[in-house]
Amino acid sequence: MVRESEIRQNEVAVTPPEPTDAGLVFIGLIRTPWTSRLMAPRQGRSDGPVCRIEIFEPWQAALDGIERFERLEVLYWLHLSRRDLVRQSPADNGTTYGTFALRSPVRPNPIGTSIATLVALEGSTLLVRGLDCLDGTPLLDLKPDRTLFKPIAPEQPGDRETQA
Ligand code: SAM
């Protein structure tokens, strides 16, 4: 895993296809205390600093009801990440691991996820704890933590489908 954009001993980069970013829309901006990749936490903590998630128009109406959930799944775009490493060396000691066996920010599609604790909703800004991204990181999506969410839509056959 790279901390900034360097290549380490035994790490492997490939030439990725030209990214099209799947037409993703950034729906907000995350404000955190961290301005350096070397200073941000590797994973957010539920007792970490309060961060702000600012939702852009026209998405502010989509916040309706969100305050019912104590925890949110936050998806963000790790915009400064390189996207071409298939093997990474988190400890920078020559031992490498496949990118998909890591939670490194360096991935073909640099999507970060955190479970954040909702502290408050102030207009179109959420105050949360539990993030690990840099100040100015674009927001991709917000969802209730899946362990707190009960589907509202009527049940359908696959909901109870199991296989021995
Ligand atoms: N919690 C997320 C996950 O598991 O998907 C992200 C984990 S990733 C290890 C967190 C690290 O990504 C931070 O310590 C920082 O070095 C780096 N990082 C944070 N924000 C970033 C950004 N906007 N662009 C690139 N790297 C970022």
Side-chain angles (χ1 to χ4, degrees):
M1 171 167 73
V2 298
R3 302 300 343 271
E4 289 192 296
S5 287
E6 76 280 10
I7 284 266
R8 296 176 174 166
Q9 185 191 2
N10 296 337
E11 288 189 331
V12 179
V14 296
T15 305
E18 200 56 38
T20 59
D21 293 351
L24 292 171
V25 172
F26 296 153
I27 59 163
L29 194 70
I30 304 180
R31 312 306 319 224
T32 74
W34 304 292
T35 53
S36 158
R37 280 180 276 185
L38 306 181
M39 299 301 286
R42 299 253 166 68
Q43 289 294 338
R45 307 170 50 111
S46 57
D47 59 354
V50 173
C51 301
R52 299 168 65 84
I53 302 179
E54 299 169 358
I55 305 299
F56 300 150
E57 277 298 14
W59 312 111
Q60 294 171 359
L63 291 170
D64 187 27
I66 201 166
E67 65 276 12
R68 289 190 289 116
F69 297 96
E70 191 190 333
R71 290 185 306 277
L72 303 173
E73 201 171 321
V74 183
L75 287 83
Y76 37 97
W77 192 250
L78 296 159
H79 65 308
L80 300 180
S81 291
R82 57 184 301 157
R83 303 172 63 168
D84 59 345
L85 293 192
V86 290
R87 294 199 69 84
Q88 304 183 43
S89 179
D92 197 4
N93 61 1
T95 301
T96 61
Y97 303 82
T99 290
F100 301 142
L102 297 171
R103 293 198 69 102
S104 160
V106 172
R107 16 199 3 101
N109 295 308
I111 295 172
T113 73
S114 287
I115 299 297
T117 305
L118 180 58
V119 175
L121 174 62
E122 293 179 350
S124 58
T125 298
L126 296 149
L127 306 189
V128 301
R129 295 183 194 272
L131 296 181
D132 51 26
C133 57
L134 295 181
D135 188 43
T137 295
L139 178 70
L140 291 177
D141 204 356
L142 293 170
K143 309 183 191 204
D145 177 341
R146 77 187 63 208
T147 64
L148 301 177
F149 185 77
K150 302 230 172 13
I152 299 163
E155 209 173 271
Q156 51 194 23
D159 292 346
R160 291 180 184 269
E161 204 171 301
T162 58
Q163 190 163 43

